[in-house]
Amino acid sequence: MSTEWVLHCATTLAQLDASATASTAQLAQYFDLPAPYLAKQLQALVRAGVFAASTGPRGGFRLARPTSDITLLQIVEAVDGTTSPYECREIRQRGRGALPPEECQHACILAEKMADAHEAWRRSLAGVTLADILADLPHWAPSRTRSRLT
Amino acid sequence: MSTEWVLHCATTLAQLDASATASTAQLAQYFDLPAPYLAKQLQALVRAGVFAASTGPRGGFRLARPTSDITLLQIVEAVDGTTSPYECREIRQRGRGALPPEECQHACILAEKMADAHEAWRRSLAGVTLADILADLPHWAPSRTRSRLT
């Protein structure tokens, strides 16, 4: 759920003027999201080095890097983590069929294939930057976004 | 969690003699898994046409097709479903920045890129069959599996 939030917030920040920022309250109102929970996600993006935060009366968030240097993978992994959703609990070492430890020094071939698939997913998202997303928006989007955000 | 179970159970059935079957109890003991919960997963594989079930005193599960015709994707999606884990709730149509419906007739570019990544994950798993997994097991595995299962 919050994955969608942060992807849209990053795309929103990408449409601002170079020195402009957006606050948690502005982003929450823009998408009708619960501000306290959104704030946690935005902080995670700051910790990941994707967003930069400034404090003070005109403080808020902006992108920490040019849009061509921020990938969807970096945004997604900032809030969802880098771990594959596949959980390997080494059941090959349990029960009547348990393999001895010396046969389990390499990863199970099934875990390897699931890891390969996760890497394919990561490569796909690493190949898309915020600049690519901006290039796909209609020409009127950035000015509309800026006027509705403030 | 159950993804690991069914991948290992399918690999186990793939090592049996052509007409042999394995029961829920045998598979549960082989991997030290809770039989009632495992039974639900095995039934899901039957419904998906990956496993075939026979009843009676010597009943149990076997693969419904040759190992070269069963992919890891078919096994995983039988229990986890085919839906991408990315949830798009159309927040682009909410809040102060809400886009009008006529601007949302196409999928959001962010949802499209997340769907592309999910397809890359699916393609990776669709490219691996149980025959590929068997070819990677040590030569002694099938006879050991058969003797420990029964």
Side-chain angles (χ1 to χ4, degrees):
Chain A
M1 181 168 70
S2 60
T3 316
E4 184 190 9
W5 299 2
V6 293
L7 285 170
H8 278 278
C9 285
T11 302
T12 299
L13 294 186
Q15 296 173 70
L16 302 186
D17 294 318
S19 63
T21 62
S23 67
T24 302
Q26 284 175 316
L27 290 167
Q29 284 168 12
Y30 190 84
F31 292 115
D32 190 21
L33 298 175
Y37 189 37
L38 178 62
K40 290 184 187 172
Q41 312 303 322
L42 299 175
Q43 287 300 335
L45 281 153
V46 173
R47 282 195 300 276
V50 178
F51 288 2
S54 55
T55 52
R58 295 184 60 84
F61 299 94
R62 56 180 175 75
L63 299 182
R65 296 193 298 275
T67 56
S68 56
D69 287 351
I70 297 178
T71 70
L72 298 195
L73 181 66
Q74 291 163 346
I75 298 166
V76 170
E77 291 195 333
V79 292
D80 293 337
T82 58
T83 313
S84 164
Y86 177 70
E87 285 187 85
C88 174
R89 303 195 174 190
E90 289 282 329
I91 67 169
R92 63 176 174 167
Q93 299 196 51
R94 286 168 27 185
R96 190 184 280 178
L99 289 170
E102 61 266 28
E103 295 293 340
C104 298
Q105 288 170 3
H106 294 283
C108 164
I109 180 73
L110 293 167
E112 271 181 19
K113 297 300 183 185
M114 294 301 290
D116 288 348
H118 186 62
E119 277 308 306
W121 179 89
R122 295 185 78 244
R123 271 194 305 278
S124 179
L125 292 180
V128 185
T129 67
L130 279 181
D132 298 326
I133 298 297
L134 284 192
D136 196 80
L137 298 182
H139 64 89
W140 46 261
S143 65
R144 182 184 186 278
T145 299
R146 289 194 291 264
S147 72
R148 296 234 169 179
L149 190 66
T150 49
Chain B
M1 180 168 68
S2 60
T3 314
E4 184 189 10
W5 299 2
V6 293
L7 286 170
H8 277 279
C9 285
T11 302
T12 300
L13 295 186
Q15 297 175 67
L16 303 186
D17 294 317
S19 63
T21 63
S23 68
T24 301
Q26 285 176 317
L27 290 166
Q29 284 168 12
Y30 190 85
F31 292 114
D32 189 21
L33 298 175
Y37 190 37
L38 177 62
K40 290 184 188 176
Q41 313 301 323
L42 299 175
Q43 286 300 337
L45 282 152
V46 172
R47 282 195 300 276
V50 177
F51 288 1
S54 54
T55 51
R58 295 183 60 84
F61 299 94
R62 57 181 173 75
L63 299 182
R65 297 193 297 275
T67 55
S68 57
D69 287 351
I70 297 177
T71 70
L72 298 195
L73 181 66
Q74 292 163 346
I75 298 167
V76 169
E77 290 196 334
V79 293
D80 293 337
T82 58
T83 312
S84 164
Y86 177 70
E87 283 187 88
C88 172
R89 302 196 173 189
E90 290 283 329
I91 66 169
R92 64 177 173 165
Q93 300 196 50
R94 287 169 27 186
R96 191 183 281 178
L99 289 169
E102 61 266 29
E103 295 294 338
C104 298
Q105 288 169 3
H106 294 282
C108 165
I109 180 72
L110 294 167
E112 270 181 20
K113 297 300 183 186
M114 294 301 290
D116 288 348
H118 187 62
E119 277 308 305
W121 178 88
R122 296 185 77 244
R123 271 195 305 278
S124 179
L125 293 180
V128 185
T129 67
L130 279 181
D132 298 326
I133 299 296
L134 285 191
D136 196 82
L137 299 183
H139 64 90
W140 47 260
S143 63
R144 181 184 187 278
T145 298
R146 289 193 291 264
S147 71
R148 297 233 167 179
L149 189 67
T150 49

